[in-house]
Each structure stands twice: as structure tokens, then as C-alpha cells.
Amino acid sequence: MVDGQVAVTSVIEQWESGTTLNNVAYSAHRLNPGSAKKEGAGYIVSGSMGVGHASCAKLQKEGHEIFTVIRKEHGTVGLSAMEEAITKFSDGVSASEQCGASHG
């Protein structure tokens, strides 16, 4: 919250195996392909949204994939800031106890 308004939203979503980053970014979250400014191996970013793929061994064994979303609710930010935010968020989810291969 900044000045009483939601500034940033973060989401962790579980999808069936086989769902692609493009499906999540362009279909589910309606990121306009024309506004996507950078695509990496595990993320797609624009000035207002980042969508990432987290590595989650536990859920992948159960036939699911984990995707992360960070959305700036007002205005835009620099691409490097959004890229850093979505990669750190996705890495944090991947490293979490819920995604560890040895945790049930």
C-alpha cells in the first residue's frame, strides 16, 4: 500500500502440467503481447507486469506447475526493476518449503 492505494499485487498460481508461460501471461492475465518488452527463460515482463515460472518439484510430481505474477497497479516501472522483481519472487517461491522435493 502506498498513500492508501494498492501499489503492487503478487500472485502465486498452480496450473496443470503442460501450461506454458505464454498461456498464463497472455491468456490468463491478458498481458498484451505488444506490451511485453522482455522474455527470458522463465519470465515475461512489461513495464507494469511480470509473469514467471517457479520450479516446484513437489507439485510437478503431482502434475502441476507454479507460476508467479507481479503487477504494478498504477503506472509503469523500468523493465530492469520488473525483471528483477519477478525473478527474485519466482526464485523465492522455488526455494520455499512448499516446493522442496523432500517436503510433503
Side-chain angles (χ1 to χ4, degrees), residues 6 9 13-14 16 20 34-35 41 46 55 64 73 75-76 91 93 102:
V6 175
T9 304
E13 297 181 335
Q14 179 175 311
E16 290 183 18
T20 68
S35 70
S46 72
S55 176
H64 295 90
E73 297 298 336
T76 61
D91 289 348
V93 170
S102 63

PDB file of all heavy atoms in Angstrom, residues 6 9 13-14 16 20 34-35 41 46 55 64 73 75-76 91 93 102:
ATOM      1  N   VAL A   6      -3.447   0.303  -3.267  1.00  0.00           N
ATOM      2  CA  VAL A   6      -2.641  -0.868  -3.592  1.00  0.00           C
ATOM      3  C   VAL A   6      -1.671  -0.472  -4.701  1.00  0.00           C
ATOM      4  O   VAL A   6      -2.088   0.008  -5.750  1.00  0.00           O
ATOM      5  CB  VAL A   6      -3.524  -2.055  -4.038  1.00  0.00           C
ATOM      6  CG1 VAL A   6      -2.659  -3.219  -4.482  1.00  0.00           C
ATOM      7  CG2 VAL A   6      -4.465  -2.472  -2.906  1.00  0.00           C
ATOM      8  N   THR A   9       0.623  -5.910  -6.713  1.00  0.00           N
ATOM      9  CA  THR A   9      -0.059  -7.157  -6.400  1.00  0.00           C
ATOM     10  C   THR A   9       0.863  -8.302  -6.782  1.00  0.00           C
ATOM     11  O   THR A   9       1.478  -8.278  -7.849  1.00  0.00           O
ATOM     12  CB  THR A   9      -1.367  -7.277  -7.209  1.00  0.00           C
ATOM     13  OG1 THR A   9      -2.177  -6.134  -6.959  1.00  0.00           O
ATOM     14  CG2 THR A   9      -2.131  -8.520  -6.837  1.00  0.00           C
ATOM     15  N   GLU A  13       0.247 -18.954  -8.546  1.00  0.00           N
ATOM     16  CA  GLU A  13      -0.834 -19.765  -9.118  1.00  0.00           C
ATOM     17  C   GLU A  13      -0.359 -21.172  -9.452  1.00  0.00           C
ATOM     18  O   GLU A  13       0.759 -21.361  -9.910  1.00  0.00           O
ATOM     19  CB  GLU A  13      -1.368 -19.125 -10.405  1.00  0.00           C
ATOM     20  CG  GLU A  13      -1.979 -17.778 -10.191  1.00  0.00           C
ATOM     21  CD  GLU A  13      -2.518 -17.176 -11.471  1.00  0.00           C
ATOM     22  OE1 GLU A  13      -2.043 -17.529 -12.574  1.00  0.00           O
ATOM     23  OE2 GLU A  13      -3.413 -16.344 -11.368  1.00  0.00           O
ATOM     24  N   GLN A  14      -1.252 -22.118  -9.275  1.00  0.00           N
ATOM     25  CA  GLN A  14      -0.987 -23.509  -9.632  1.00  0.00           C
ATOM     26  C   GLN A  14      -1.806 -23.841 -10.880  1.00  0.00           C
ATOM     27  O   GLN A  14      -2.999 -23.594 -10.923  1.00  0.00           O
ATOM     28  CB  GLN A  14      -1.410 -24.406  -8.474  1.00  0.00           C
ATOM     29  CG  GLN A  14      -1.205 -25.872  -8.727  1.00  0.00           C
ATOM     30  CD  GLN A  14      -1.540 -26.689  -7.493  1.00  0.00           C
ATOM     31  OE1 GLN A  14      -1.088 -26.387  -6.405  1.00  0.00           O
ATOM     32  NE2 GLN A  14      -2.349 -27.707  -7.671  1.00  0.00           N
ATOM     33  N   GLU A  16      -2.195 -26.852 -14.311  1.00  0.00           N
ATOM     34  CA  GLU A  16      -1.900 -28.224 -14.728  1.00  0.00           C
ATOM     35  C   GLU A  16      -0.608 -28.259 -15.526  1.00  0.00           C
ATOM     36  O   GLU A  16      -0.284 -27.307 -16.238  1.00  0.00           O
ATOM     37  CB  GLU A  16      -3.034 -28.769 -15.602  1.00  0.00           C
ATOM     38  CG  GLU A  16      -4.309 -29.031 -14.843  1.00  0.00           C
ATOM     39  CD  GLU A  16      -5.393 -29.638 -15.727  1.00  0.00           C
ATOM     40  OE1 GLU A  16      -5.079 -30.156 -16.810  1.00  0.00           O
ATOM     41  OE2 GLU A  16      -6.556 -29.574 -15.308  1.00  0.00           O
ATOM     42  N   THR A  20       1.822 -23.316 -20.399  1.00  0.00           N
ATOM     43  CA  THR A  20       3.039 -22.570 -20.724  1.00  0.00           C
ATOM     44  C   THR A  20       3.022 -21.179 -20.112  1.00  0.00           C
ATOM     45  O   THR A  20       1.969 -20.658 -19.737  1.00  0.00           O
ATOM     46  CB  THR A  20       3.200 -22.427 -22.250  1.00  0.00           C
ATOM     47  OG1 THR A  20       2.158 -21.570 -22.738  1.00  0.00           O
ATOM     48  CG2 THR A  20       3.166 -23.779 -22.950  1.00  0.00           C
ATOM     49  N   GLY A  34       2.026  -7.082 -27.424  1.00  0.00           N
ATOM     50  CA  GLY A  34       2.736  -5.889 -27.888  1.00  0.00           C
ATOM     51  C   GLY A  34       3.384  -5.106 -26.764  1.00  0.00           C
ATOM     52  O   GLY A  34       4.313  -4.342 -26.986  1.00  0.00           O
ATOM     53  N   SER A  35       2.897  -5.292 -25.529  1.00  0.00           N
ATOM     54  CA  SER A  35       3.483  -4.563 -24.403  1.00  0.00           C
ATOM     55  C   SER A  35       4.578  -5.359 -23.700  1.00  0.00           C
ATOM     56  O   SER A  35       5.286  -4.823 -22.860  1.00  0.00           O
ATOM     57  CB  SER A  35       2.401  -4.168 -23.388  1.00  0.00           C
ATOM     58  OG  SER A  35       1.901  -5.308 -22.722  1.00  0.00           O
ATOM     59  N   ALA A  41      14.103 -16.990 -20.008  1.00  0.00           N
ATOM     60  CA  ALA A  41      13.831 -18.425 -19.950  1.00  0.00           C
ATOM     61  C   ALA A  41      12.654 -18.740 -19.040  1.00  0.00           C
ATOM     62  O   ALA A  41      11.901 -19.664 -19.305  1.00  0.00           O
ATOM     63  CB  ALA A  41      15.075 -19.170 -19.475  1.00  0.00           C
ATOM     64  N   SER A  46       6.672  -6.668 -18.741  1.00  0.00           N
ATOM     65  CA  SER A  46       6.344  -5.403 -19.378  1.00  0.00           C
ATOM     66  C   SER A  46       6.635  -4.334 -18.329  1.00  0.00           C
ATOM     67  O   SER A  46       7.122  -4.646 -17.247  1.00  0.00           O
ATOM     68  CB  SER A  46       4.869  -5.373 -19.793  1.00  0.00           C
ATOM     69  OG  SER A  46       4.028  -5.264 -18.663  1.00  0.00           O
ATOM     70  N   SER A  55      10.120 -23.177 -10.217  1.00  0.00           N
ATOM     71  CA  SER A  55      10.424 -24.595 -10.191  1.00  0.00           C
ATOM     72  C   SER A  55       9.922 -25.143  -8.866  1.00  0.00           C
ATOM     73  O   SER A  55      10.380 -24.736  -7.812  1.00  0.00           O
ATOM     74  CB  SER A  55      11.935 -24.794 -10.321  1.00  0.00           C
ATOM     75  OG  SER A  55      12.235 -26.154 -10.201  1.00  0.00           O
ATOM     76  N   HIS A  64       1.423 -30.654 -11.683  1.00  0.00           N
ATOM     77  CA  HIS A  64       1.115 -29.227 -11.690  1.00  0.00           C
ATOM     78  C   HIS A  64       2.368 -28.387 -11.869  1.00  0.00           C
ATOM     79  O   HIS A  64       3.475 -28.848 -11.622  1.00  0.00           O
ATOM     80  CB  HIS A  64       0.418 -28.825 -10.385  1.00  0.00           C
ATOM     81  CG  HIS A  64      -0.917 -29.456 -10.231  1.00  0.00           C
ATOM     82  ND1 HIS A  64      -1.091 -30.677  -9.618  1.00  0.00           N
ATOM     83  CD2 HIS A  64      -2.135 -29.059 -10.638  1.00  0.00           C
ATOM     84  CE1 HIS A  64      -2.371 -30.999  -9.643  1.00  0.00           C
ATOM     85  NE2 HIS A  64      -3.033 -30.030 -10.257  1.00  0.00           N
ATOM     86  N   GLU A  73       0.033  -1.744 -10.020  1.00  0.00           N
ATOM     87  CA  GLU A  73      -1.363  -1.367 -10.206  1.00  0.00           C
ATOM     88  C   GLU A  73      -1.561   0.012 -10.819  1.00  0.00           C
ATOM     89  O   GLU A  73      -2.586   0.271 -11.429  1.00  0.00           O
ATOM     90  CB  GLU A  73      -2.114  -1.472  -8.875  1.00  0.00           C
ATOM     91  CG  GLU A  73      -2.153  -2.879  -8.323  1.00  0.00           C
ATOM     92  CD  GLU A  73      -2.869  -3.882  -9.224  1.00  0.00           C
ATOM     93  OE1 GLU A  73      -3.725  -3.493 -10.038  1.00  0.00           O
ATOM     94  OE2 GLU A  73      -2.554  -5.083  -9.113  1.00  0.00           O
ATOM     95  N   GLY A  75       0.520   2.949 -13.190  1.00  0.00           N
ATOM     96  CA  GLY A  75       1.701   3.362 -13.912  1.00  0.00           C
ATOM     97  C   GLY A  75       2.600   2.198 -14.290  1.00  0.00           C
ATOM     98  O   GLY A  75       2.179   1.043 -14.307  1.00  0.00           O
ATOM     99  N   THR A  76       3.832   2.537 -14.600  1.00  0.00           N
ATOM    100  CA  THR A  76       4.806   1.529 -15.017  1.00  0.00           C
ATOM    101  C   THR A  76       6.111   1.739 -14.248  1.00  0.00           C
ATOM    102  O   THR A  76       6.307   2.753 -13.590  1.00  0.00           O
ATOM    103  CB  THR A  76       5.095   1.619 -16.531  1.00  0.00           C
ATOM    104  OG1 THR A  76       5.629   2.909 -16.829  1.00  0.00           O
ATOM    105  CG2 THR A  76       3.852   1.364 -17.358  1.00  0.00           C
ATOM    106  N   ASP A  91      12.212 -17.096  -7.783  1.00  0.00           N
ATOM    107  CA  ASP A  91      13.278 -17.839  -7.105  1.00  0.00           C
ATOM    108  C   ASP A  91      12.913 -18.100  -5.644  1.00  0.00           C
ATOM    109  O   ASP A  91      13.178 -19.187  -5.115  1.00  0.00           O
ATOM    110  CB  ASP A  91      14.604 -17.088  -7.178  1.00  0.00           C
ATOM    111  CG  ASP A  91      15.213 -17.079  -8.572  1.00  0.00           C
ATOM    112  OD1 ASP A  91      14.735 -17.830  -9.446  1.00  0.00           O
ATOM    113  OD2 ASP A  91      16.167 -16.293  -8.779  1.00  0.00           O
ATOM    114  N   VAL A  93       9.863 -18.385  -4.388  1.00  0.00           N
ATOM    115  CA  VAL A  93       8.827 -19.422  -4.370  1.00  0.00           C
ATOM    116  C   VAL A  93       9.470 -20.784  -4.613  1.00  0.00           C
ATOM    117  O   VAL A  93       9.164 -21.755  -3.929  1.00  0.00           O
ATOM    118  CB  VAL A  93       7.733 -19.113  -5.413  1.00  0.00           C
ATOM    119  CG1 VAL A  93       6.793 -20.292  -5.587  1.00  0.00           C
ATOM    120  CG2 VAL A  93       6.953 -17.867  -5.018  1.00  0.00           C
ATOM    121  N   SER A 102      11.669 -32.705  -0.798  1.00  0.00           N
ATOM    122  CA  SER A 102      11.620 -33.594   0.364  1.00  0.00           C
ATOM    123  C   SER A 102      10.506 -33.247   1.336  1.00  0.00           C
ATOM    124  O   SER A 102      10.368 -33.890   2.360  1.00  0.00           O
ATOM    125  CB  SER A 102      12.963 -33.551   1.105  1.00  0.00           C
ATOM    126  OG  SER A 102      13.200 -32.251   1.596  1.00  0.00           O
TER     127      SER A 102
END
